[in-house]
Amino acid sequence: MSVIASNLTTNLTDDLNSHLNSIDANLIELAIDHPIGADNPPLLTPSPNCNSKLSPDAHSAINFNNPTQQGLQSSDFLVDWQNNLNDSQLDQLVNDGWIVIDKVFTDKALLALQSESGFVDYRQAQLTAGIRLSDIRGDKIRWITEDFFAGSYYLQSINQLATVFNRSLFAGIRHSEAHYACYPSGFGYQWHRDNPANRNERVISAVLYLNDDWQAKDGGALEIVDKHGIHHQVMPVANRLVVFDSDLHHQVQIAHRQRYSIATWMRRDGLVPFVEEGSL
């Protein structure tokens, strides 16, 4: 058992346990003696539609008392992007339009993101026109704001990556945005570009995958068409970051188990105040 998992065991408080005992019976309690996987999704198993059914009080208590989040610092998400990206990878991003970076974050940072993804109250995703078409995309999402502790640190790290792209590729990125995404079994996202027609605010897209023990039989691969028209399939392996030109065609193939990730965009437009749907 890992040191992080051991700390989770020894530091769980009576208050946290009391809240966990009140959670809906359809949810699985913290499973900390084996890796997150098919039988042990990120800390709390959302219901089949990716909605956490915690009461507001329980949700708040778990977030504040979660030992995974306690002591978490921005330095835990520090990545030496300048040295992690060699000239060959930067050339590939320019020439082919995409790259893959494995083992991006520390175990502590990854577990914090996995944990937070399990607490998220997911919302229905929509298309740009504001119309949800489940036959086109089947994910549920939650935009990352300052209310998401681990997610905010993740975005800080992504902004540092964007700085590298600005220096090396003159990308003109001004800020980044991201959301947690959950694909229930049996759903995917059909072919699309991340920039809608006649728009180009998104410069570079990235996806960080959160599921451990993902296998080919689980489906859910990212299929991407590079700048030369060649199709590639990328398995959603935990701690893998796929970075690609936002104008490339791509799709998420049908997942055969619940699939967690963080979808990310580095943008060239000005930063505007974020207002989440349904908050007005």
Side-chain angles (χ1 to χ4, degrees):
M1 183 168 61
S2 68
V3 174
I4 294 175
S6 177
N7 289 338
L8 281 171
T9 304
T10 56
N11 293 323
L12 284 175
T13 63
D14 292 338
D15 183 56
L16 176 57
N17 284 329
S18 65
H19 284 292
L20 286 173
N21 289 335
S22 66
I23 291 174
D24 187 283
N26 291 326
L27 302 178
I28 299 174
E29 292 189 6
L30 295 176
I32 54 179
D33 58 350
H34 60 288
I36 292 173
D39 62 334
N40 180 27
L43 288 191
L44 290 175
T45 307
S47 61
N49 62 1
C50 298
N51 281 328
S52 166
K53 293 186 177 180
L54 303 178
S55 68
D57 290 342
H59 194 285
S60 298
I62 291 174
N63 275 330
F64 287 118
N65 289 302
N66 179 10
T68 305
Q69 309 292 343
Q70 288 180 359
L72 199 64
Q73 304 177 47
S74 60
S75 59
D76 296 319
F77 288 78
L78 185 63
V79 177
D80 188 358
W81 296 111
Q82 190 69 57
N83 290 324
N84 280 11
L85 286 170
N86 55 44
D87 290 341
S88 176
Q89 288 174 302
L90 290 174
D91 288 343
Q92 181 187 345
L93 182 58
V94 172
N95 297 326
D96 299 338
W98 72 291
I99 57 174
V100 174
I101 309 172
D102 283 320
K103 299 180 180 178
V104 177
F105 294 107
T106 64
D107 290 344
K108 182 177 181 181
L110 176 63
L111 184 59
L113 292 169
Q114 290 173 321
S115 169
E116 197 164 76
S117 74
F119 296 134
V120 167
D121 180 16
Y122 287 94
R123 310 286 175 83
Q124 294 281 359
Q126 294 184 340
L127 300 176
T128 304
I131 302 173
R132 173 175 171 77
L133 298 175
S134 59
D135 58 339
I136 295 177
R137 66 181 298 182
D139 57 328
K140 294 200 173 186
I141 68 171
R142 189 64 184 267
W143 287 97
I144 292 175
T145 66
E146 61 184 8
D147 297 324
F148 292 93
F149 199 45
S152 295
Y153 284 145
Y154 165 80
L155 269 178
Q156 288 180 26
S157 185
I158 289 296
N159 283 331
Q160 292 165 2
L161 174 60
T163 299
V164 173
F165 289 147
N166 284 344
R167 291 173 178 171
S168 303
L169 308 177
F170 304 100
I173 298 165
R174 300 181 66 184
H175 70 103
S176 302
E177 62 183 1
H179 64 60
Y180 285 110
C182 174
Y183 286 84
S185 179
F187 288 90
Y189 194 160
Q190 291 187 12
W191 290 106
H192 64 284
R193 292 187 177 98
D194 286 344
N195 274 321
N198 302 318
R199 295 176 64 177
N200 64 354
E201 292 94 341
R202 290 171 171 172
V203 182
I204 296 176
S205 302
V207 185
L208 180 73
Y209 298 112
L210 300 178
N211 286 85
D212 285 335
D213 305 321
W214 198 273
Q215 301 178 28
K217 67 179 182 180
D218 298 321
L222 172 68
E223 185 174 358
I224 189 167
V225 182
D226 68 18
K227 290 184 176 181
H228 311 290
I230 301 173
H231 287 242
H232 304 269
Q233 294 189 29
V234 184
M235 297 306 298
V237 177
N239 214 8
R240 167 174 288 173
L241 186 72
V242 183
V243 181
F244 57 95
D245 186 319
S246 295
D247 286 326
L248 290 185
H249 269 106
H250 58 284
Q251 72 169 342
V252 177
Q253 297 178 354
I254 298 298
H256 303 306
R257 54 178 278 210
Q258 204 150 265
R259 176 187 185 275
Y260 296 89
S261 61
I262 302 178
T264 313
W265 298 275
M266 303 173 216
R267 303 175 60 109
R268 60 167 50 95
D269 55 345
L271 181 63
V272 296
F274 180 82
V275 178
E276 191 166 25
E277 293 179 14
S279 63
L280 297 179

